[in-house]
């Protein structure tokens, strides 16, 4: 069950950040601050991003579970996606499997 949850959050946040960039359509605003992540997650997916579901106390700690896809820029605090927008979904399954084996 946990593996599927991590796979889902990887894909959801990947799509969220890329969709935000497309929706905003502003070269200066390609992402948003980490404190706004729960708001945009709720706006795009119509559900709450609850860190307790991942046994974490903050959303930032949830991102440490999926650091191969999403990261927080240490200087600016902006959410950054590490994969290009044309990444195939089978890549996410491979990442989940690698994480499971660790």
């Amino acid at each position: 069950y946990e593996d599927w949850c991590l796979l889902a959050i990887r894909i959801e946040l990947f799509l969220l950040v890329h969709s935000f960039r497309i929706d905003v359509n502003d070269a200066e605003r390609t992402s948003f601050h980490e404190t706004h992540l729960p708001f945009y997650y709720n706006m795009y997916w119509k559900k709450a991003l609850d860190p307790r579901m991942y046994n974490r106390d903050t959303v930032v700690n949830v991102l440490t579970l999926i650091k191969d896809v999403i990261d927080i820029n240490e200087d600016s605090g902006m959410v950054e996606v590490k994969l290009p927008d044309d990444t195939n979904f089978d890549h996410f399954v491979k990442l989940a499997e690698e994480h499971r084996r660790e």
Side-chain angles (χ1 to χ4, degrees):
Y1 174 77
E2 295 86 6
D3 297 333
W4 289 111
C5 289
L6 289 175
L7 174 63
I9 195 72
R10 273 185 176 92
I11 293 172
E12 288 171 350
L13 291 179
F14 166 82
L15 292 172
L16 187 152
V17 175
H18 281 298
S19 297
F20 177 86
R21 182 179 42 99
I22 292 168
D23 291 345
V24 171
N25 197 21
D26 183 357
E28 294 181 12
R29 288 187 46 194
T30 59
S31 187
F32 49 86
H33 196 266
E34 66 182 83
T35 56
H36 298 141
L37 182 57
F39 170 78
Y40 286 116
Y41 187 85
N42 187 6
M43 187 172 129
Y44 278 82
W45 296 108
K46 306 294 185 228
K47 59 184 180 179
L49 179 57
D50 187 3
R52 294 174 297 176
M53 184 173 173
Y54 305 95
N55 199 24
R56 298 291 189 259
D57 55 347
T58 65
V59 172
V60 174
N61 288 341
V62 171
L63 298 183
T64 61
L65 296 172
I66 56 170
K67 59 185 175 273
D68 46 8
V69 176
I70 298 288
D71 200 14
I72 302 293
N73 184 308
E74 291 183 18
D75 297 329
S76 64
M78 301 297 274
V79 177
E80 296 177 342
V81 66
K82 294 182 175 182
L83 302 173
D85 59 354
D86 61 350
T87 302
N88 291 326
F89 289 119
D90 61 341
H91 182 71
F92 293 98
V93 175
K94 291 175 186 175
L95 290 173
E97 180 62 20
E98 289 173 11
H99 185 269
R100 186 186 67 79
R101 290 181 181 187
E102 290 177 0

